[in-house]
Amino acid sequence: MNNKPQSQQNRQKSRSFDTGKTGKVILALSLVAFVFAGWWVTHGVSRLAKGVTVESIRAVENGMTEEEVVAILGDPLERGPSEHYADGIVLTYSKPAYFAKWYPMLW
């Protein structure tokens, strides 16, 4: 049998908490966080610059200046030097799509 006094056994029982109730709360909060994170990754973050539409992309033509392209599509997400042309620049208007094996890009 247990040699501990009754009062010491009662104190040990009172220190323990209801793991069933706590576990359910943790599970519910984890589920809510998981659903929110999934929504945020797929819908909450825009991977496209503002002003980019089907119509505006179709209006861009070869030979346009940077100013003309920016007037049509708006400000790019990034600007950088071209890897292929010494005087060229690259205007980035989209980022890779999450969880996609491929996605359309405008070259």
Side-chain angles (χ1 to χ4, degrees), residues 6 18 26 39 42 44-45 49:
Q6 187 69 23
D18 183 9
I26 291 172
W39 174 86
T42 57
V45 178

Side-chain angles (χ1 to χ4, degrees), residues 7-73:
S7 62
Q8 193 176 12
Q9 289 177 0
N10 288 341
R11 271 187 271 151
Q12 283 181 339
K13 286 182 182 177
S14 66
R15 281 189 220 150
S16 66
F17 55 92
D18 183 9
T19 56
K21 194 174 195 178
T22 304
K24 289 178 185 176
V25 169
I26 291 172
L27 179 64
L29 290 175
S30 298
L31 182 62
V32 168
F34 181 74
V35 168
F36 175 75
W39 174 86
W40 185 75
V41 164
T42 57
H43 297 92
V45 178
S46 176
R47 308 294 292 165
L48 197 60
K50 293 179 182 177
V52 176
T53 63
V54 172
E55 293 81 19
S56 64
I57 290 172
R58 289 182 178 157
V60 175
E61 297 177 8
N62 283 332
M64 286 185 153
T65 65
E66 177 184 357
E67 292 78 22
E68 291 172 325
V69 173
V70 170
I72 294 170
L73 295 176

Side-chain angles (χ1 to χ4, degrees), residues 62-105:
N62 283 332
M64 286 185 153
T65 65
E66 177 184 357
E67 292 78 22
E68 291 172 325
V69 173
V70 170
I72 294 170
L73 295 176
D75 288 325
L77 298 175
E78 295 177 6
R79 277 187 170 94
S82 173
E83 295 178 12
H84 305 288
Y85 302 101
D87 296 333
I89 60 165
V90 175
L91 303 176
T92 304
Y93 283 92
S94 68
K95 296 289 184 176
Y98 290 120
F99 308 113
K101 291 183 180 179
W102 64 271
Y103 52 92
M105 293 295 289

